[in-house]
Amino acid sequence: MTQREFETIINKLDNLDVRLNTLERKVDEDNRRLVQDNQLLAERIDLYRQTSETQIISIRAEIEAFQEANKQQAEANKQQIEAFQEANKQQIEAFQEANKQQIEANRQQIEAFQEANKQQIEANKQQIEAFQEANKQQLNVSLGVLVTAAAAILASVVLGMQ
């Protein structure tokens, strides 16, 4: 083998090493980006959770205030004359039924919101796993190309030596 052939092989191997390093940096950058995306998603999820907790607290306070208002109305109705007592009693029952329905509707909304959050979290997890798998596959393909190229160079060297 001549010095020039040897230098050509070394240059090709150096080029392959540079390409491998570039691919490794790209994978590292992609992984860092995925970590940042994951952190942003976690922050968004936390914000959604905080918002839903705030809404729950607000709804509970409204329900409690509304129920307290209903109790006061009931007490006031008891003090009114008998003719109005029956009408007020029916009105209180209607408000209580509406409250029950509103509470149930609010509970269902909260459950739906929590389920949607769970589904969003799962979708985000699956997306991250898919990105990681794609990066692994890309690295494996790149390594396969490099190994093939190295084998081709080695074969050309061996053939050149004969």
Side-chain angles (χ1 to χ4, degrees), residues 36-48 124:
Q36 289 173 348
D37 289 349
N38 193 21
Q39 288 171 344
L40 289 174
L41 291 172
E43 289 172 7
R44 286 175 87 187
I45 289 167
D46 189 49
L47 182 60
Y48 286 144
N124 291 340

Side-chain angles (χ1 to χ4, degrees), residues 1-8:
M1 173 184 320
T2 66
Q3 178 67 24
R4 182 176 176 91
E5 289 173 332
F6 183 72
E7 288 174 1
T8 300

